[in-house]
Amino acid sequence: MMEKASPERLLSTLRILTQDIGIRLSGSANDARATDFLYSEFKKVSPHVRFHEFPVRERLVHSEALEIHIDGEWRKYPSSLFSSVPGTDAKWLEAPLVFFSSMTDYQRPDLSYLRGKAVVHLGCHIPNRESYRRLMEAEPAFLLFVDTRHPGDVPLADGMFPAYTDALGARPVTNVAFADAFSWKLRHADAARFYADAERPHKTSRNVICDLPGSDPDGDIIYLTSHHDTQAGTVGADDNGSGTTIILEIARLMASRPRKRTLRFIAFGAEEQLSVGSACYAREFREEIAKRGRLVLNYDGGGAALGWTNISGCGPKAMFDLIHAEWKKQDSYCNVFDEVSPYLDLFPFVMCGVPGVWIYRPCCTDGCVWHHRFDDDLRHISGDELAIHVNASVSLLDNLANAEVFPFGKDISDVQKEEANTLWTNLYGGW
Ligand SMILES: [Zn+2]
């Protein structure tokens, strides 16, 4: 009889990450505490545990404040400084307010009207490097970003892509609540002032790697991945304590089972700054990943008590069918998407030519309502849902780690490879 995942053990691991340790910003003291904890937990499972270190810039905000000028009065609003951008050198910056709908306004041939302005930027990502370059050239005073995926009445946390800011510079950027931005527009707000006493110290973060070696030590590797870091102001129970807890539990259950292929568990750091830890790992071990990597199972946001499960990634149809079949055995029917996404630790592996999937549970069409929010804590998480992912994965790995011939190839379509290449150059700055 196969040992099953324990929902109680999954939740107690998650409690340590989210309640005992808490917010886990990359490069912070809590980042180190979390990786020490994961190291010691993996060590109980396998002697083959190590850190892979990489450089990061920590988001260190001492204080920030935002005021908006409405009807002749300055009013205070909450905000959350992006990672990978500067503060205001602990000085107040004041500027006229301009509203910019990023979904359409980058079509404007001339962005010089943003110069010296406080720009309310509707949309929290700039998925195009050329647009970011033009925005920086326009030299806005500062930017107030609005998340349109999860509109609400509190500011979410987010970051600018380091590959953008390293290459093209940065302005102060802070996140504001959608409902606040909406009211500024309705009430004809005409100016903003912003203060951020913040630093970006050079720090080190760590990927935690645990091997369960196969009987064929130079043979295939199956990667099981997650990220242990969080955004600012959130303990990240779902994003991504859940995935980290899942891979740890899979490792516990797989440790005593026979296997021909190596299972490599990696809890990556700095995913929230755009997969900095996994990109660094892929750059360093590109050859090994390309040669020995067979599959990546990436878990990121898998604990929603009410929601549904999606399996999204790149690879042959047989891969998707086989994976989905295991979830169905657990009575969990999934949506399956064959697509390239750059916003995941899976992506650098796809760049190395390894197929893989991201397994996650949204609860609304754009993800989860608590995404990057203060309340991404244990109250939304179901231990039973975490256990389903673990049990399906263990059953899948029993097959894949031991199959005489691996049951599917590494084909990723040329169209997807080209798409991935463009995104890799654009968002990550290439190899
Ligand atoms: Zn995540």
Side-chain angles (χ1 to χ4, degrees):
M1 205 26 208
M2 195 166 93
E3 198 198 335
K4 296 278 184 209
S6 156
E8 295 71 32
R9 189 165 53 189
L10 283 156
L11 288 176
S12 81
T13 306
L14 201 46
R15 204 166 289 124
I16 294 170
L17 283 170
T18 60
Q19 293 181 353
D20 298 355
I21 299 172
I23 299 167
R24 304 179 298 283
L25 275 170
S26 210
S28 68
N30 271 359
D31 189 37
R33 287 178 69 201
T35 47
D36 281 342
F37 166 67
L38 293 170
Y39 186 97
S40 69
E41 288 301 301
F42 276 120
K43 201 79 184 173
K44 293 175 190 167
V45 170
S46 165
H48 309 284
V49 185
R50 61 196 178 277
F51 288 126
H52 174 247
E53 295 195 341
F54 59 92
V56 286
R57 301 288 295 269
E58 184 187 353
R59 173 197 179 279
L60 186 57
V61 178
H62 303 295
S63 67
E64 69 172 282
L66 173 67
E67 294 184 0
I68 304 292
H69 196 248
I70 303 174
D71 296 335
E73 248 180 72
W74 286 102
R75 296 163 195 261
K76 291 184 197 318
Y77 287 89
S79 63
S80 171
L81 191 73
F82 266 37
S83 60
S84 304
V85 301
T88 65
D89 293 328
K91 287 193 279 263
W92 281 96
L93 296 181
E94 186 176 324
L97 203 62
V98 168
F99 291 86
F100 184 83
S101 294
S102 73
M103 293 75 180
T104 48
D105 285 344
Y106 282 110
Q107 293 175 42
R108 293 180 190 280
D110 182 5
L111 300 184
S112 63
Y113 71 105
L114 304 178
R115 182 158 320 234
K117 301 294 196 304
V119 178
V120 178
H121 187 280
L122 197 58
C124 70
H125 281 145
I126 306 177
N128 178 317
R129 179 180 280 245
E130 179 59 12
S131 296
Y132 185 77
R133 187 189 63 73
R134 294 179 62 222
L135 182 62
M136 287 304 103
E137 266 180 22
E139 293 181 17
F142 56 92
L143 295 143
L144 307 172
F145 268 45
V146 184
D147 196 311
T148 50
R149 297 165 303 170
H150 306 95
D153 54 11
V154 289
L156 306 183
D158 224 309
M160 201 54 77
F161 307 143
Y164 280 6
T165 57
D166 289 349
L168 301 163
R171 310 296 295 174
V173 181
T174 196
N175 231 330
V176 297
F178 179 89
D180 290 339
F182 211 103
S183 77
W184 304 338
K185 177 73 181 179
L186 284 176
R187 298 167 73 186
H188 309 288
D190 56 7
R193 55 189 192 201
F194 181 54
Y195 172 98
D197 180 6
E199 298 168 62
R200 287 185 291 158
H202 290 273
K203 292 285 186 72
T204 299
S205 185
R206 305 183 289 197
N207 301 320
V208 185
I209 305 172
C210 170
D211 276 0
L212 296 179
S215 56
D216 179 1
D218 300 316
D220 295 339
I221 301 175
I222 298 170
Y223 297 92
L224 295 108
T225 61
S226 74
H227 70 87
H228 56 71
D229 64 310
T230 67
Q231 287 282 357
T234 170
V235 298
D238 194 32
D239 181 11
N240 186 23
S242 68
T244 303
T245 303
I246 287 167
I247 66 166
L248 192 52
E249 184 76 359
I250 297 172
R252 285 167 181 146
L253 297 182
M254 289 305 297
S256 58
R257 309 175 75 77
R259 33 174 204 272
K260 189 162 89 105
R261 299 184 173 84
T262 293
L263 304 181
R264 179 163 297 165
F265 300 83
I266 313 180
F268 285 113
E271 188 273 351
E272 297 294 1
Q273 296 186 9
L274 191 61
S275 304
V276 171
S278 57
C280 193
Y281 181 83
R283 287 185 179 111
E284 198 167 327
F285 300 103
R286 183 181 179 182
E287 224 167 286
E288 182 193 56
I289 296 167
K291 186 163 160 247
R292 296 179 61 196
R294 283 312 305 221
L295 174 68
V296 183
L297 300 173
N298 181 55
Y299 304 82
D300 193 346
L306 177 64
W308 64 92
T309 298
N310 285 348
I311 296 173
S312 158
C314 303
K317 183 172 180 301
M319 172 190 79
F320 289 106
D321 290 346
L322 204 66
I323 295 170
H324 192 191
E326 292 296 347
W327 262 256
K328 283 192 268 194
K329 279 189 211 164
Q330 305 294 325
D331 199 31
S332 174
Y333 286 73
C334 307
N335 288 317
V336 177
F337 301 102
D338 186 356
E339 64 189 5
V340 176
S341 170
Y343 306 112
L344 296 170
D345 290 322
L346 170 62
F347 183 67
F349 287 82
V350 170
M351 283 307 301
C352 296
V354 181
V357 292
W358 165 36
I359 296 148
Y360 64 108
R361 273 180 73 73
C363 73
C364 57
T365 44
D366 267 348
C368 284
V369 283
W370 52 82
H371 182 74
H372 293 178
R373 209 168 74 173
F374 70 94
D375 59 346
D376 179 7
D377 54 30
L378 280 176
R379 79 186 92 167
H380 303 117
I381 304 297
S382 156
D384 291 333
E385 292 299 339
L386 298 175
I388 288 172
H389 298 310
V390 174
N391 291 329
S393 304
V394 167
S395 175
L396 176 71
L397 292 169
D398 260 339
N399 171 6
L400 295 182
N402 294 297
E404 249 342 284
V405 179
F406 205 78
F408 51 83
K410 292 170 72 164
D411 18 329
I412 295 170
S413 76
D414 288 343
V415 174
Q416 287 186 333
K417 275 186 187 156
E418 203 180 306
E419 196 186 340
N421 262 319
T422 306
L423 290 163
W424 180 247
T425 308
N426 226 321
L427 305 184
Y428 287 77
W431 289 107

